[in-house]
Amino acid sequence: EPLPRESLTRFQRMVSVAELDLLIAGLPEINVDDWQAHCAYGGFLKPDHHLAVWFWEVLREDLNQDERATLLHFATGSAAVPATGFKTLSGYMGRPCPFSIEGRTDQDSTHLPTAATCFNRLRLPLYRSRDELRLRLKTALSGVQSFHEGAMGLHPDHGPQPPARAPAANG
């Protein structure tokens, strides 16, 4: 049911179109410094562990804004940063939940990163080098992008694809 005109008019006096867009869509760019400042660590990871250091280097130096948004979506379920930044990131049921990186020792470095979106958690195996981390992360993100394109009925090389048809019954 649409809002009554009087309520809409009152709302428009309180919030500009730009402010409403920011509240709905989030920040237009991902600030890696803010992301890192509000990150929690789990498993064997600490902020100064080489894997964590490599992770933030890869985000800053090797991923563009679209890839960062894909990574954020992969780990949190949303490609947008809240209007107030990473400090107000929420998780399951809208409760405050910081982004976190968890070091995994139960998977070797041939495994791709995994995520727990309800908890804004990215899980990283113990990669042996920065390049290995970058490669595995980009591989995981390309799979996420392909999945989203498939779910939207898009093919990366040919644009929208018609829905698949069931084979005609012979008879």
Side-chain angles (χ1 to χ4, degrees):
E1 188 172 320
L3 285 172
R5 183 167 293 283
E6 181 181 308
S7 296
L8 187 58
T9 302
R10 248 185 282 143
F11 185 72
Q12 286 175 324
R13 282 189 224 124
M14 296 177 355
V15 179
S16 72
V17 171
E19 291 168 327
L20 182 60
D21 183 49
L22 188 59
L23 288 171
I24 292 171
L27 295 172
E29 289 210 10
I30 295 174
N31 180 327
V32 178
D33 292 333
D34 182 49
W35 195 347
Q36 183 176 8
H38 295 97
C39 178
Y41 297 86
F44 61 81
L45 279 184
K46 304 286 183 244
D48 60 348
H49 189 280
H50 65 271
L51 187 60
V53 171
W54 292 339
F55 174 78
W56 296 112
E57 286 176 359
V58 167
L59 253 67
R60 282 187 179 87
E61 299 168 16
D62 299 324
L63 300 185
N64 62 36
Q65 282 293 327
D66 288 340
E67 291 168 321
R68 291 176 190 153
T70 301
L71 173 62
L72 183 62
H73 189 253
F74 175 69
T76 69
S78 173
V81 179
T84 51
F86 280 94
K87 67 182 173 192
T88 57
L89 198 61
S90 61
Y92 179 66
M93 302 283 290
R95 295 184 180 109
C97 184
F99 173 82
S100 65
I101 307 169
E102 178 182 276
R104 303 283 303 259
T105 56
D106 60 333
Q107 295 179 336
D108 66 32
S109 64
T110 62
H111 286 83
L112 296 175
T114 58
T117 56
C118 291
F119 304 105
N120 299 333
R121 184 174 302 138
L122 180 67
R123 296 177 174 138
L124 299 174
L126 183 55
Y127 295 116
R128 295 173 296 213
S129 70
R130 181 186 183 281
D131 285 338
E132 186 176 40
L133 168 64
R134 181 185 49 75
L135 175 67
R136 299 285 186 259
L137 200 53
K138 285 199 169 221
T139 301
L141 297 181
S142 69
V144 169
Q145 187 63 35
S146 295
F147 175 80
H148 289 297
E149 289 167 349
M152 298 295 290
L154 299 175
H155 184 276
D157 299 324
H158 303 99
Q161 298 293 303
R165 290 188 172 177
N170 292 331

